[in-house]
Amino acid sequence: MTAKNKLPRMVPNTAAQNFTARESWRIFGIMAEFVEATERLKPIRPAVSIFGSARTKPDHPYYAQTEKIARLLSDAGFSVISGGGPGIMEAANKGAYFGKSPSVGLNIQLPMEQKANPYQDISQTFQHFFARKFMFVKFAVAYVVMPGGFGTLDEMLEAMTLIQTGKSRNIPVILVHEPFWRGLLDWFKDRLVSEGMINPDDLNLIQVIDEPEKVVDAIFAHYQSRGFLPLPEEHELMLNL
């Protein structure tokens, strides 16, 4: 039996044809998101992307810790990028907003939960998660990952995958609040490393730092022998991200 015989027979109908046409035109909307965001965010380098839960309340210790980290980064000369919503994202934008450098929110249109916070010097809204995630990586010299849920894990693992596979330049990925991450890191070691799913050295892609001042120090330490802007070979990486 050939592949042609195995493929289901498509019965054309008006609804399917209309859907296909809409799918094709959607590509132009995606292109527009990439172009607009790239042009809008060009001046923000160097920048640090901060991730964390949208559900964290302003009176939670995670919120205060995030706000302090963002303020220190902003005063040190880094733009701070967050997802633009509530919770940890708001804390990151708030800390940067009252600092010396721009507070950037990459907002996403969602049916529920996402609402833009008011602490954004630069606000960019996306319809597509993948375009938004690309901008987090493209403009960041470091990732700071606070406690969070599926979205936070997705963004953290996306960055680690890109770095591990050489599709992105090597930037610091810093997890904050060790007790929250301990179980996941133990599972990485006990399962992924022990069963050969990743190399032991891959765990070195992650740093765990709890003190806000040491988060900033770790980022400067990573770049002490080079500048923050991408090197020529890293520009090529970013073009093929």
Side-chain angles (χ1 to χ4, degrees):
M1 183 178 288
T2 66
K4 183 178 180 180
N5 294 331
K6 292 181 180 180
L7 292 172
R9 183 169 175 268
M10 300 298 292
V11 180
N13 58 65
T14 303
Q17 291 173 345
N18 289 341
F19 180 79
T20 301
R22 286 176 58 203
E23 282 285 282
S24 299
W25 280 105
R26 178 171 169 265
I27 294 171
F28 291 100
I30 295 168
M31 291 170 57
E33 280 199 346
F34 275 95
V35 172
E36 181 182 352
T38 298
E39 291 300 311
R40 186 99 186 276
L41 300 177
K42 275 194 303 188
I44 70 170
R45 289 189 174 104
V48 175
S49 293
I50 298 182
F51 303 99
S53 175
R55 305 182 185 191
T56 303
K57 303 301 181 185
D59 59 353
H60 197 286
Y62 295 159
Y63 188 104
Q65 190 175 30
T66 305
E67 187 177 348
K68 183 173 183 180
I69 291 170
R71 179 61 185 267
L72 290 172
L73 287 168
S74 181
D75 286 343
F78 297 100
S79 298
V80 173
I81 307 173
S82 93
I88 295 296
M89 294 179 281
E90 178 182 285
N93 283 136
K94 185 178 180 181
Y97 187 79
F98 292 106
K100 297 178 180 179
S101 304
S103 171
V104 182
L106 304 185
N107 301 273
I108 184 74
Q109 294 180 356
L110 295 176
M112 300 179 297
E113 196 171 277
Q114 178 81 358
K115 180 181 178 182
N117 69 68
Y119 304 106
Q120 301 178 41
D121 297 305
I122 300 173
S123 181
Q124 185 71 25
T125 301
F126 295 83
Q127 290 187 358
H128 305 94
F129 267 114
F130 57 85
R132 178 177 179 246
K133 290 201 306 185
F134 176 86
M135 298 304 160
F136 281 127
V137 176
K138 179 178 177 63
F139 291 98
V141 299
Y143 269 27
V144 175
V145 190
M146 304 299 297
F150 287 157
T152 301
L153 292 173
D154 175 49
E155 287 149 345
M156 178 189 80
L157 292 172
E158 173 94 7
M160 291 172 58
T161 301
L162 291 171
I163 297 169
Q164 180 206 43
T165 56
K167 293 295 289 183
S168 172
R169 60 180 177 152
N170 185 16
I171 65 174
V173 178
I174 300 171
L175 310 188
V176 179
H177 195 67
E178 190 273 341
F180 181 88
W181 298 107
R182 186 182 305 149
L184 180 64
L185 296 175
D186 287 344
W187 183 77
F188 284 174
K189 185 184 301 182
D190 296 339
R191 284 287 172 262
L192 300 187
V193 173
S194 67
E195 297 192 24
M197 304 299 177
I198 63 173
N199 294 325
D201 289 346
D202 290 335
L203 293 179
N204 296 330
L205 298 175
I206 310 167
Q207 301 179 63
V208 183
I209 303 172
D210 286 353
E211 298 82 0
E213 293 81 4
K214 291 185 178 180
V215 170
V216 180
D217 291 343
I219 296 171
F220 276 111
H222 182 87
Y223 291 97
Q224 65 180 345
S225 60
R226 49 158 295 172
F228 288 109
L229 293 177
L231 301 174
E233 60 271 23
E234 292 173 340
H235 274 296
E236 290 300 315
L237 279 179
M238 303 310 288
L239 287 173
N240 293 291
L241 187 60

